[in-house]
Amino acid sequence: MTAAYLAVDLGSSSLRVMVGLLRPDAPDGPRMAVREAARFPNTPVPRAEGLGWDVPALFDGVLAGLRAGVAIAAEEGAELRGIGVDAWGVDYARLTVDGTLRPFVRHHRAADPDLAARTSAGRDLAADYAVTGVLDQAINTAHQLRQDQSAGIGDPDDTILLTADIVVHLLTGRVGAEPSLASTTALLDRATGDWSAALAAGLPARLPPVVPTGSSAGPTTARVTAAIGAAHPVPVFAVTAHDTAAAFMAVTAADDEGTGVVSSGSWGVAGVALPALLRDDRARRDGFTQEIGAGGDTLLVKNLSGMWLLQQTLREWAAADGEAEPSLDMLTALLDAAARSSYPGLFDPADPALQAPDDLIARLVRACVEGGAEPPSTRADLVRAIVDSLAVAYADTVALAARRSGRTLERIRIVGGGARNALLCARTAARSGLPVIAGPVEASVRGVLLQVALAAGDLPDAATARALPVDDGDGPPRVHHPAPTRSEPLHDLA
């Protein structure tokens, strides 16, 4: 019988609910088809406390998407076997002692870098990194909790729930933290797999119990079961809840030593999967964070600005043109023109000065000039600078991750929305000198669906899951072969 799985994929710009249909008796062998049930925008909301996430609106979207997914499963005559949830890291909601979610959930782009810097000035950051594998950054959960304390937000008896775990709690009532998501907080002790008492000391909230990846979070509550139109409560499983970990799971593992991965969405995350934490402080000084991946892998990755730079630039141009939102035609035309541009400007996409949304175009132009180029004369020139800068950062970061871990790369895999950007993939191949495999686009969704199938007992192991043919409507992965590049490096790989 066909089995159906539902993936709730919370992105920083959109929410998707996807259905995976596993057909074990297909004529040419077991395979999975992926269908979109629903997609909604995820729009931050300004509040008195700062920029925040609209959790009630998000959960309304989750329920609507799950209801559509349940209907698709019924249409296919499939048995609904489980739900998994993934999301971005670091952000959290507060759960009061009486079980109420507080309304304010801060957006990480509203994190206070000055407060974080003052706190970090008195800490041994190398020692902290050796415990958690996570870089000291203002967006870290630990710093955001201190920001709460400074602003008088919440109560010390509140329990925090990380992004995906908020949804799991609303679906099942479970309170917990999945390890891959917990590892983004800068509070998880990698040696013990539990919260570090030393690093959590004095923080103004309680931390939830860490629950094993792959474990059951319980069935949907009676209210949720009725709301999504399911005939019976649906099992919910703790998949790798950090979207980066889910995306990596779909295409690689620690024993795949020749593959570097770039998860290119609103953020760009580039690096390799390793069997264990690197305790060499050079990784910290190089700007790598080491989060938990599927199967207990360590993801040696660097967080870079991703397609958000292009998305936000297009939004500013659309507003200047009197349009509410940029169109797909606008993006396509600009990328075509950018491919013909010879503009040489480059900038560092990881520059903190480029992370805020306001007046981004002006800051990008200034960054190109500071890098030694003339100001871009056309919109296509600036798009070329964005794409080339991302490509150089992606290629150089993956190469540096390989050097630090003693690996020899044979290929780069670009997954996420950036896999559809042929210019970005071609430029990354040119920069790296390696073939770039583009796809899958919905890598985090695929990773979640495969893990739900594993947790439900329908696939034997992760290697089998990764090898499973999946039809997600995007066609087979495309390979971009290297060609000479004119781009200069952003940093010295030595």
Side-chain angles (χ1 to χ4, degrees):
M1 182 178 183
T2 299
Y5 318 98
L6 301 179
V8 178
D9 179 52
L10 296 174
S12 59
S13 60
S14 67
L15 152 68
R16 295 173 287 266
V17 177
M18 308 288 278
V19 184
L21 299 165
L22 178 63
R23 297 185 171 93
D25 298 324
D28 49 355
R31 59 185 50 249
M32 180 180 286
V34 179
R35 292 177 57 183
E36 181 175 300
R39 186 181 295 253
F40 302 95
N42 182 10
T43 305
V45 290
R47 299 176 58 95
E49 302 94 331
L51 189 67
W53 299 107
D54 190 345
V55 170
L58 275 176
F59 193 62
D60 285 346
V62 169
L63 293 179
L66 291 176
R67 186 163 56 248
V70 168
I72 290 172
E75 290 168 4
E76 296 286 340
E79 180 186 0
L80 188 53
R81 300 280 287 158
I83 298 170
V85 185
D86 78 302
W88 67 94
V90 305
D91 293 345
Y92 58 89
R94 285 175 165 271
L95 188 69
T96 66
V97 290
D98 65 1
T100 302
L101 281 174
R102 295 192 184 273
F104 178 59
V105 178
R106 182 185 294 104
H107 192 302
H108 50 267
R109 291 195 186 278
D112 183 349
D114 294 330
L115 177 62
R118 290 196 299 273
T119 302
S120 299
R123 301 196 62 86
D124 183 341
L125 300 183
D128 290 351
Y129 184 84
V131 172
T132 68
V134 176
L135 292 172
D136 182 71
Q137 301 176 95
I139 64 173
N140 288 353
T141 307
H143 284 312
Q144 292 200 55
L145 282 166
R146 296 184 185 99
Q147 191 171 340
D148 281 356
Q149 190 172 40
S150 177
I153 294 171
D155 186 277
D157 286 331
D158 294 343
T159 298
I160 70 166
L161 288 172
L162 297 162
T163 43
D165 294 319
I166 299 169
V167 174
V168 171
H169 170 72
L170 293 172
L171 291 175
T172 67
R174 187 210 72 178
V175 174
E178 185 280 324
S180 72
L181 203 57
S183 71
T184 71
T185 62
L187 294 168
L188 192 74
D189 187 329
R190 295 292 295 278
T192 67
D194 206 348
W195 304 113
S196 165
L199 293 174
L203 293 178
R206 300 178 185 273
L207 302 177
V210 178
V211 298
T213 307
S215 63
S216 171
T220 52
T221 65
R223 185 183 76 82
V224 168
T225 303
I228 66 176
H232 306 286
V234 183
V236 180
F237 295 105
V239 299
T240 51
H242 189 207
D243 50 11
T244 299
F248 268 67
M249 182 274 164
V251 296
T252 194
D255 58 1
D256 180 11
E257 296 194 5
T259 300
V261 176
V262 179
S263 180
S264 177
S266 294
W267 289 91
V269 183
V272 296
L274 303 176
L277 186 74
L278 284 184
R279 298 192 181 276
D280 185 338
D281 194 51
R282 289 183 301 172
R284 180 185 69 87
R285 296 196 302 270
D286 288 335
F288 285 102
T289 194
Q290 301 188 62
E291 296 158 5
I292 294 176
D297 288 354
T298 288
L299 305 183
L300 178 68
V301 295
K302 186 177 288 191
N303 295 312
L304 306 163
S305 283
M307 301 310 293
W308 175 82
L309 287 172
L310 184 56
Q311 294 161 358
Q312 183 62 26
T313 300
L314 291 174
R315 288 189 193 103
E316 291 187 16
W317 280 328
D321 294 343
E323 303 291 337
E325 288 290 335
S327 66
L328 180 58
D329 288 345
M330 179 185 189
L331 172 61
T332 302
L334 281 170
L335 285 172
D336 286 345
R340 298 188 297 272
S341 169
S342 58
Y343 181 66
L346 287 173
F347 56 84
D348 182 357
D351 185 348
L354 302 177
Q355 307 310 310
D358 297 331
D359 298 321
L360 178 62
I361 291 173
R363 283 179 284 125
L364 290 173
V365 170
R366 186 162 57 250
C368 289
V369 172
E370 290 171 352
E374 294 295 319
S377 59
T378 66
R379 290 181 175 182
D381 285 349
L382 184 56
V383 170
R384 182 59 183 251
I386 293 170
V387 170
D388 273 3
S389 297
L390 290 174
V392 171
Y394 291 170
D396 287 4
T397 297
V398 171
L400 184 55
R403 287 170 65 89
R404 287 291 171 255
S405 56
R407 299 194 161 197
T408 300
L409 290 183
E410 299 172 2
R411 69 196 70 84
I412 295 175
R413 194 84 183 245
I414 293 184
V415 302
R420 285 198 176 112
N421 190 321
L423 179 60
L424 174 64
C425 295
R427 297 301 288 163
T428 304
R431 175 65 187 169
S432 65
L434 297 171
V436 168
I437 303 170
V441 171
E442 299 287 2
S444 55
V445 164
R446 185 179 296 193
V448 170
L449 292 171
L450 293 176
Q451 287 179 82
V452 175
L454 285 164
D458 299 333
L459 292 173
D461 53 56
T464 301
R466 274 190 290 274
L468 184 74
V470 177
D471 176 14
D472 55 9
D474 212 45
R478 295 161 298 283
V479 181
H480 299 262
H481 294 285
T485 178
R486 59 173 169 74
S487 302
E488 293 298 322
L490 290 179
H491 53 75
D492 183 358
L493 296 184

